[in-house]
Amino acid sequence: MESLSTPPPTGARDVRPVLEAHGIRKQFPGVLALDGVALRLFPGEVHALMGENGAGKSTLIKVLTGVHPADGGTLVVDGRPHTFKDPLQAQRAGISTVYQEVNLCPNLSVAENILIGREPRRFGLVHWSATRRRAAGLLTELDLGLDVTSLLGSHSLAVQQLVAIVRAVDVSAKVLVLDEPTSSLDREEVAQLFALVRRLRDRGVAILFVTHFLDQVFDLCDRVTVLRNGRLEGEYPIGELTPVTLVQRMIGGELATLDQLSDRGPAEGTGRAAGRPFLQARQLTRTGSIEPYDLDVHAGEVLGLAGLLGSGRTEAARLLFGADSADAGEVSIEGEKVLLRSPRHAIARGIAFCSENRKSEGLVGELTVRENIVLALQAARGWTRPLPRARQDEVAGQWIQALDIRPADPEAQVRHLSGGNQQKVLLARWLLTAPRLLILDEPTRGIDIGAKAEIQRLVARLAGDGTAVVFISAELEEVLRLSHRIAVLRDHRMVATLTNDGTVTPDRLLTTIATGTDS
């Protein structure tokens, strides 16, 4: 394990860390999540926290911010030891967090969200004009032009992220933790967010940036701490690393799995079938959701859906699974017209759907890994025919081993697993039903590069075995790597279908998305 021997940021040799963690240990039932982890954050720098899912990043953040008490180790802020019993104590010490899922009130104004609980008062009542002036002043300081009287919910997710950050730094934050802030943003929105982060850095705030996007780490960060299997792998100035060496430190081995993916063509060797499609959609539409579209999906084919967030990718996929009801159009499976009135009808036809919202629409956090895996199979059998416990144990064990789900404990509550391992549990649930068409909506979002490579390999293998796959991802390189054909969506319309024959480049795909034409 590396020691924290790298120097502080250039130009700050005499500056002590604003936050230091030493020997942090945290254990949950059956899981040692953190084992002697160290971290230091200097004022005026952006510090990346990297590692595979299950490496301990989320647990470390929760220890730093008072969500979980540490079982061992010390935490020092501004040279003073601290023990946080709750997030409020961490906030009072100057540590604020903005999570991937914005925790604000969309029905309140921008000003109210920035100053909620801290509004200026007069005669015991909220002084609304002073509240608005204070909020407007904060936004002006950070070069953000927003109408503070507008409802937060009327703004994009990117703007809501910015408002959450402004609120966080207004509580005298010395340390700002950004947990996957860009996972749902497009490139322009990421650039806007990064501009704000750099302004905060220049004001002396220490920023801990947690992400799975390697390019963003090299674009934004000054230094990186890498965790692996709950332990500190090392701390490095970003200039001493390349993307390859950073990934090597994260996964602790050779990049064979990634090399296998990156060196080959799209879904190579998958045995894509010709002839009649397994599924055909004709003029399928839902008012206000997706305009009429045609789509063919063949057995043994990976069909990518590409487009910006809000382009209609998910909406198109949900109609194929019966999760939403179509207003018009028709679906045929192997030439036979079918009505997909509900997910149950789709499952009966051999269609499975892994939602992008794995927590709200996929997994049941209070259930065990075993119970989550067998859920779809049990639903297909009907609740009057319960699956025998011995059979549950058998299939759960098989899929835990096949997908390398960690920890390999079928009785662990799924909510305690990392994001990547939760995604594997969701995949195991649907693969257990032996689907003929598998719809994957952002299956690699918010997971580490090692788990991402495993899922990409699984997709290629499934297609090779004859499964039809619809693959949705915001990462265009990932869509290009895996897909035989790519359907492009823009403004809730399917505008083009490209054959991935080697002539489709990221630039061509971006141009099609931006213009709505393949010219």
Side-chain angles (χ1 to χ4, degrees):
M1 181 174 67
E2 300 278 347
S3 62
L4 297 184
S5 57
T6 55
T10 303
R13 300 294 180 182
D14 299 326
V15 176
R16 70 183 182 186
V18 65
L19 181 148
E20 296 177 89
H22 300 285
I24 300 298
R25 179 182 174 87
K26 182 63 184 178
Q27 186 160 7
F28 299 103
V31 180
L32 181 59
L34 298 174
D35 185 11
V37 169
L39 176 74
R40 59 181 187 168
L41 302 178
F42 290 90
E45 81 165 350
V46 182
H47 192 120
L49 180 62
M50 301 291 289
E52 290 189 89
N53 280 308
K57 304 186 300 298
S58 295
T59 303
L60 179 59
I61 289 173
K62 290 175 181 177
V63 168
L64 298 179
T65 57
V67 176
H68 292 322
D71 297 327
T74 58
L75 185 61
V76 178
V77 180
D78 275 342
R80 297 176 53 194
H82 282 266
T83 301
F84 300 136
K85 296 180 180 178
D86 55 50
L88 183 59
Q89 288 189 348
Q91 191 176 93
R92 287 171 176 167
I95 302 173
S96 290
T97 308
V98 176
Y99 292 101
Q100 175 180 350
E101 298 170 355
V102 178
N103 188 22
L104 295 177
C105 301
N107 59 318
L108 299 182
S109 69
V110 169
E112 289 171 298
N113 273 282
I114 292 174
L115 293 170
I116 190 168
R118 307 186 316 281
E119 304 93 340
R121 292 181 177 269
R122 184 172 60 178
F123 307 122
L125 301 175
V126 174
H127 193 331
W128 290 112
S129 60
T131 296
R132 290 189 287 270
R133 284 196 302 271
R134 171 65 177 156
L138 290 169
L139 293 171
T140 299
E141 286 178 27
L142 295 173
D143 295 332
L144 296 176
L146 290 176
D147 179 2
V148 297
T149 65
S150 61
L151 285 179
L152 183 69
S154 67
H155 295 285
S156 68
L157 179 59
V159 171
Q160 294 182 41
Q161 288 273 18
L162 299 179
V163 171
I165 291 173
V166 173
R167 170 174 168 74
V169 299
D170 185 49
V171 295
S172 302
K174 303 168 186 174
V175 174
L176 177 63
V177 180
L178 299 177
D179 186 9
E180 295 286 354
T182 64
S183 62
S184 299
L185 308 185
D186 63 30
R187 292 190 180 188
E188 290 186 2
E189 292 170 335
V190 169
Q192 186 180 18
L193 175 66
F194 280 12
L196 175 58
V197 170
R198 291 186 177 105
R199 288 194 289 270
L200 293 172
R201 177 198 61 192
D202 294 344
R203 291 175 53 173
V205 178
I207 298 166
L208 183 62
F209 183 69
V210 185
T211 185
H212 291 101
F213 295 106
L214 295 181
D215 57 336
Q216 294 180 3
V217 171
F218 286 90
D219 182 31
L220 182 67
C221 299
D222 306 294
R223 168 184 313 269
V224 57
T225 289
V226 179
L227 302 183
R228 189 167 72 234
N229 297 327
R231 297 184 177 183
L232 173 69
E233 193 282 333
E235 176 198 285
Y236 308 93
I238 200 66
E240 294 182 1
L241 297 173
T242 66
V244 171
T245 56
L246 176 55
V247 172
Q248 286 175 330
R249 283 158 175 75
M250 289 166 55
I251 68 176
E254 298 301 322
L255 300 180
T257 57
L258 295 178
D259 290 342
Q260 290 169 11
L261 285 167
S262 60
D263 290 345
R264 69 186 182 194
E268 182 180 334
T270 57
R272 172 177 147 207
R276 185 176 65 185
F278 169 73
L279 180 145
Q280 290 179 298
R282 292 294 179 265
Q283 293 298 290
L284 204 61
T285 183
R286 180 178 171 86
T287 304
S289 175
I290 181 74
E291 294 188 19
Y293 69 91
D294 295 341
L295 194 69
D296 292 348
V297 190
H298 292 81
E301 173 186 51
V302 181
L303 175 70
L305 297 188
L308 300 178
L309 292 169
S311 62
R313 300 170 310 181
T314 296
E315 292 82 353
R318 287 175 63 88
L319 292 183
L320 301 179
F321 187 61
D324 292 331
S325 298
D327 294 329
E330 61 184 33
V331 174
S332 299
I333 294 180
E334 295 185 319
E336 178 188 352
K337 292 181 182 179
V338 297
L339 292 176
L340 302 177
R341 296 190 183 94
S342 69
R344 186 170 182 177
H345 289 112
I347 294 170
R349 293 285 183 169
I351 302 174
F353 177 62
C354 286
S355 169
E356 64 176 333
N357 299 316
R358 60 176 174 260
K359 290 185 178 180
S360 61
E361 296 182 354
L363 299 171
V364 182
E366 292 73 21
L367 298 183
T368 65
V369 170
R370 168 183 56 80
E371 291 167 329
N372 271 279
I373 287 176
V374 303
L375 202 56
L377 183 60
Q378 181 61 73
R381 286 170 57 94
W383 300 108
T384 59
R385 298 174 56 220
L387 196 66
R389 177 58 187 269
R391 178 61 176 157
Q392 293 184 34
D393 292 337
E394 177 187 359
V395 297
Q398 288 173 349
W399 284 105
I400 287 172
Q401 181 179 5
L403 297 182
D404 191 24
I405 296 171
R406 304 178 191 177
D409 178 8
E411 300 311 307
Q413 282 193 335
V414 78
R415 62 190 176 95
H416 290 151
L417 272 61
S418 67
N421 284 295
Q422 288 181 348
Q423 187 66 61
K424 291 179 184 179
V425 171
L426 191 55
L427 280 169
R429 173 194 297 171
W430 290 114
L431 293 176
L432 182 56
T433 67
R436 301 181 66 189
L437 168 60
L438 178 61
I439 303 170
L440 299 174
D441 192 358
E442 295 285 6
T444 65
R445 187 178 71 180
I447 67 175
D448 65 83
I449 194 166
K452 182 178 295 188
E454 290 181 33
I455 289 173
Q456 291 175 355
R457 291 174 62 200
L458 175 63
V459 169
R461 188 165 68 246
L462 287 169
D465 291 338
T467 304
V469 180
V470 172
F471 187 85
I472 303 172
S473 175
E475 296 187 39
L476 300 186
E477 292 82 0
E478 184 175 46
V479 175
L480 281 169
R481 181 181 300 130
L482 288 172
S483 305
H484 293 101
R485 292 184 302 123
I486 303 168
V488 180
L489 292 101
R490 183 176 187 269
D491 297 332
H492 301 276
R493 292 186 299 115
M494 196 167 287
V495 295
T497 300
L498 311 177
T499 300
N500 195 7
D501 55 5
T503 65
V504 182
T505 64
D507 285 342
R508 179 182 171 190
L509 197 50
L510 277 173
T511 300
T512 305
I513 290 171
T515 64
T517 60
D518 179 30
S519 56

